[in-house]
């Protein structure tokens, strides 16, 4: 796992209707040390997904630098694993082959990558679904596959773009519990984008609040781990911190 | 499930069977001149003869060989081209007007020049089939690529897929349902074009079989040939193309 560093990152769009440049993000600086989990929250349109897409290399940035382990980012790469809101599983591949896709791209032989995929599926309690196709699984199961597919490729940084926004509330809490457990086991460096404040606080070491294209606040989360909803849902420190972040987001 | 399929097949066959029954009654009742339209027994006899003396197999074999080769060649060229157009706006903008123009000509409009290039027979007809299938498969592949969610391409790239892997692992399988639709539609046109081309540019094949029977007023051979052409297409379409199309769309479709 490596550090992720954003230095004076900016993004400007050319607005076709107005015929002028429009600044979506300006001067975003953010350091995520190796093995730290950082959530980015903010209202719709604040540019949080734009940050993730630039870090992933899906869209170019206009200014500043993105460094992974000190190396500048140029386009998408296997050093940055991505978990998508829409899951983005390959519908024509079994669950096993979806998870084994990253290793396959590295040239890992079939038997070996199946073994890797099975190990990661077991971690998410998905061993029984290995031979299923994505459309045969519930949304929650699909996103578990999405998470382990990214992890099985052993990325330096894990990027998660509102990964639990399209599953039902009950499943979402289970997935958050599981992600928290997996993070504690493996300690990946995570950049987690969400608009759900309790989710952001529950998972992260730090919560960054974004507003109109700049960083409004950077709030540490000193709540001890392991974290599970059964304990935290009535925890005063958690509730207080969540309310504090929520107030910041609403002021944004 | 099984009984529903049988019921479906029966529902499909019933109107055709009724038509045969009416034909079987009308021809003897009105004593239709066999040079105008043959009786049912005459057509059956013509069919049995052509099967026994091997001419049917020869004609069907020749026609099918042309269709298979023309289709395979067309798909091999059309799919990569369609994918290239799907990922590159420049290529797409350049080729679209050309394809628009030539797709209008696809089919028998090519026969005169095709016979000059390839001579009468196999080459010219394969070329006509190629033209019938090619354009529609290009368009459908292009359409298929454009329906692949950007997130799937991004996911593959972030998992380490290069250009070639993106093609084989994402774009090709992602466009497959549309490619299947394209092949099915294109073959439907090509099949019609085949019969027309065989009447003009060859001395063997189902189209030729019909055309030559006309010279001898063998209406029973003509009608038998028409039945074979229709039945063969329905079998190819229902047993091969439609199930292939359905299978790809079922697996892919639910996710979109």
């Amino acid at each position: 796992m490596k550090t992720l560093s954003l230095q004076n990152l900016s993004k400007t769009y050319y607005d076709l209707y107005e015929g002028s440049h429009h600044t979506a993000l300006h001067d975003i600086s953010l350091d995520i040390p190796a093995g730290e989990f950082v959530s980015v929250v903010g209202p719709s349109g604040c540019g949080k997904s734009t940050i993730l897409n630039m870090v992933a290399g899906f869209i170019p940035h206009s200014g500043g630098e993105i460094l992974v382990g000190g190396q500048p980012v140029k386009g998408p790469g296997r050093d940055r694993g991505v978990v998508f809101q829409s899951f983005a599983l390959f519908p024509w591949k079994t669950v096993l082959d979806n998870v084994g896709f990253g290793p396959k791209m590295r040239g890992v032989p079939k038997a070996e990558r199946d073994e890797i995929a099975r190990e990661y599926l077991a971690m998410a309690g998905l061993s029984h679904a290995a031979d299923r196709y994505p459309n045969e699984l519930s949304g929650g199961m699909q996103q578990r596959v999405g998470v382990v597919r990214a992890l099985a490729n052993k990325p330096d940084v894990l990027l998660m773009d509102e990964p639990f926004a399209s599953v039902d509330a009950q499943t979402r809490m289970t997935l958050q519990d599981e992600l928290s457990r997996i993070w504690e086991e493996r300690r990946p460096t995570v950049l987690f984008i969400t608009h759900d404040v309790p989710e952001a606080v529950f998972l992260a070491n730090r919560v960054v609040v974004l507003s109109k294209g700049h960083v409004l606040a950077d709030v540490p989360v000193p709540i001890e781990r392991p974290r599970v909803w059964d304990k935290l849902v009535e925890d005063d420190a958690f509730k207080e911190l969540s309310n504090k972040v929520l107030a910041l987001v609403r002021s944004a | 499930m099984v009984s529903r399929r049988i019921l479906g097949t029966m529902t499909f066959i019933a109107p055709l069977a009724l038509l045969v029954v009416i034909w079987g009654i009308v021809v003897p009742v009105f004593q239709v001149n066999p040079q105008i339209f043959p009786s049912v027994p005459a057509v059956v006899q013509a069919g049995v003869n052509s099967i026994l003396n091997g001419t049917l197999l020869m004609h069907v074999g020749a026609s099918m060989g042309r269709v298979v080769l023309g289709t395979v060649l067309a798909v091999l060229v059309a799919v990569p081209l369609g994918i290239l157009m799907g990922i590159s706006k420049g290529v797409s903008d350049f080729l679209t007007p050309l394809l628009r123009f030539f797709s209008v000509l696809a089919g028998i409009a090519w026969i005169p020049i095709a016979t000059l290039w390839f001579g009468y027979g196999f080459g010219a007809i394969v070329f006509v089939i190629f033209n019938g299938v090619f354009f529609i498969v290009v368009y459908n592949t292009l359409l298929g690529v454009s329906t692949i969610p950007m997130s799937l391409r991004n996911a593959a790239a972030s998992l380490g897929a290069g250009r070639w892997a993106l093609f084989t692992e994402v774009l090709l399988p992602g466009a497959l349902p549309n490619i299947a639709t394209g092949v099915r539609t294109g073959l439907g046109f090509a099949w019609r074009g085949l019969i027309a081309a065989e009447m003009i540019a060859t001395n063997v094949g189902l189209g030729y079989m019909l055309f030559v029977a006309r010279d001898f007023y063998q209406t029973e051979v003509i009608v038998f040939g028409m039945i074979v052409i229709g039945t063969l297409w329905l079998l190819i379409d229902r047993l091969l193309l439609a199930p292939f199309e359905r299978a790809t769309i079922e697996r892919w479709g639910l996710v979109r």
Side-chain angles (χ1 to χ4, degrees):
Chain A
M1 290 302 160
K2 291 185 180 163
T3 57
L4 170 64
S5 175
L6 315 184
Q7 296 174 354
N8 310 107
L9 191 63
S10 70
K11 179 71 186 175
T12 51
Y13 290 104
Y14 184 74
D15 191 319
L16 280 173
Y17 289 102
E18 306 208 341
S20 61
H21 288 279
H22 166 74
T23 305
L25 291 167
H26 37 111
D27 243 13
I28 304 282
S29 290
L30 179 63
D31 276 299
I32 307 182
E36 193 171 272
F37 194 125
V38 170
S39 295
V40 175
V41 293
S44 310
C46 70
K48 55 191 191 297
S49 284
T50 306
I51 292 181
L52 185 132
N53 283 323
M54 290 193 297
V55 175
F58 299 151
I59 56 173
H61 51 277
S62 312
E65 272 204 291
I66 302 168
L67 303 170
V68 174
Q71 294 298 310
V73 159
K74 292 190 193 82
R78 64 172 62 116
D79 56 330
R80 284 148 290 137
V82 183
V83 181
F84 297 83
Q85 182 181 346
S86 61
F87 317 144
L89 302 179
F90 305 117
W92 47 86
K93 287 179 182 293
T94 61
V95 164
L96 191 73
D97 288 344
N98 263 283
V99 178
F101 186 84
K104 185 180 183 182
M105 294 300 105
R106 290 202 307 269
V108 176
K110 172 83 175 141
E112 204 178 315
R113 64 176 189 257
D114 281 358
E115 196 180 320
I116 295 171
R118 283 185 199 286
E119 176 204 326
Y120 277 88
L121 285 173
M123 185 173 78
L126 283 168
S127 298
H128 61 285
D131 298 321
R132 300 275 197 83
Y133 284 89
N135 69 21
E136 299 169 342
L137 306 180
S138 67
M141 298 248 291
Q142 289 191 44
Q143 196 55 304
R144 286 184 178 91
V145 177
V147 172
V148 294
R149 180 178 67 175
L151 287 173
N153 207 25
K154 299 197 169 62
D156 296 326
V157 177
L158 188 62
L159 310 172
M160 305 182 80
D161 187 9
E162 307 203 29
F164 306 142
S166 43
V167 297
D168 65 87
Q170 204 66 41
T171 310
R172 192 178 309 149
M173 291 176 90
T174 314
L175 289 171
Q176 288 158 354
D177 275 345
E178 286 176 17
L179 180 62
S180 183
R181 172 180 59 80
I182 289 171
W183 183 82
E184 278 154 30
E185 281 171 21
R186 310 233 160 199
R187 295 285 169 151
T189 311
V190 183
L191 174 65
F192 190 98
I193 307 291
T194 182
H195 62 260
D196 180 337
V197 170
E199 172 176 82
V201 174
F202 175 81
L203 290 166
N205 302 101
R206 272 160 63 202
V207 177
V208 171
V209 182
L210 215 60
S211 166
K212 301 186 187 88
H214 69 271
V215 175
L216 184 72
D218 191 334
V219 185
V221 183
I223 296 167
E224 65 182 42
R225 294 177 188 267
R227 297 179 192 163
V228 285
W229 276 117
D230 281 350
K231 270 198 292 183
L232 284 194
V233 79
E234 294 300 327
D235 185 274
D236 286 335
F238 174 78
K239 277 197 271 187
E240 199 180 310
L241 198 55
S242 291
N243 287 335
K244 181 181 158 191
V245 175
L246 194 60
L248 283 165
V249 171
R250 299 183 83 166
S251 75
Chain B
M1 244 346 244
V2 175
S3 64
R4 258 186 64 186
R5 276 196 70 173
I6 292 170
L7 193 71
T9 310
M10 299 280 277
T11 315
F12 189 85
I13 288 174
L16 299 170
L18 183 67
L19 188 67
V20 174
V21 170
I22 293 170
W23 170 26
I25 294 168
V26 167
V27 170
V29 166
F30 293 94
Q31 295 181 326
V32 177
N33 181 348
Q35 287 192 0
I36 300 297
F37 207 83
S39 68
V40 175
V43 170
V44 172
Q45 189 57 48
V48 171
N49 287 345
S50 71
I51 291 165
L52 291 180
N53 65 23
T55 50
L56 180 67
L57 191 67
M58 180 182 73
H59 291 306
V60 170
S63 293
M64 292 302 285
R66 291 158 183 160
V67 166
V68 170
L69 185 69
T71 304
V72 168
L73 287 177
V75 170
L76 285 180
V77 184
V79 168
L81 191 66
I83 288 179
L84 198 63
M85 288 175 72
I87 55 175
S88 161
K89 195 180 172 324
V91 176
S92 173
D93 286 349
F94 181 77
L95 287 180
T96 300
L98 295 173
L99 289 172
R100 280 268 157 80
F101 179 78
F102 284 105
S103 64
V104 177
L105 295 179
I108 55 172
W110 282 96
I111 288 179
I113 199 129
T115 53
L116 289 178
W117 291 347
F118 301 101
Y120 278 81
F122 194 75
I125 294 168
V126 168
F127 184 75
V128 169
I129 303 286
F130 179 95
N131 268 302
V133 177
F134 177 77
F135 295 98
I136 203 147
V137 174
V138 172
Y139 275 124
N140 276 274
T141 307
L142 175 64
L143 184 69
V145 170
S146 69
T147 60
I148 299 171
M150 200 58 203
S151 62
L152 284 187
R153 286 158 69 172
N154 283 339
S158 72
L159 288 164
R163 279 165 182 266
W164 179 248
L166 193 68
F167 174 77
T168 57
E169 303 276 353
V170 180
L171 300 175
L172 189 60
L176 200 57
N178 291 84
I179 293 171
T181 305
V183 171
R184 190 180 173 199
T185 320
L187 256 178
F189 288 123
W191 188 251
R192 295 162 179 82
L194 167 87
I195 305 303
E198 284 180 341
M199 290 187 181
I200 302 170
T202 184
N203 54 10
V204 67
L206 287 165
Y208 176 77
M209 179 177 146
L210 298 195
F211 207 61
V212 99
R214 175 192 167 277
D215 291 346
F216 300 97
Y217 296 102
Q218 291 172 319
T219 52
E220 70 281 6
V221 175
I222 296 177
V223 170
F224 175 69
M226 291 166 74
I227 293 171
V228 170
I229 290 165
T231 309
L232 258 183
W233 172 254
L234 285 178
L235 288 177
I236 294 170
D237 190 55
R238 293 212 137 205
L239 298 182
L240 212 69
L241 301 176
F244 175 56
E245 186 186 11
R246 209 180 310 122
T248 54
I249 289 172
E250 268 170 17
R251 169 135 300 142
W252 279 235
L254 280 174
V255 185
R256 290 217 178 117

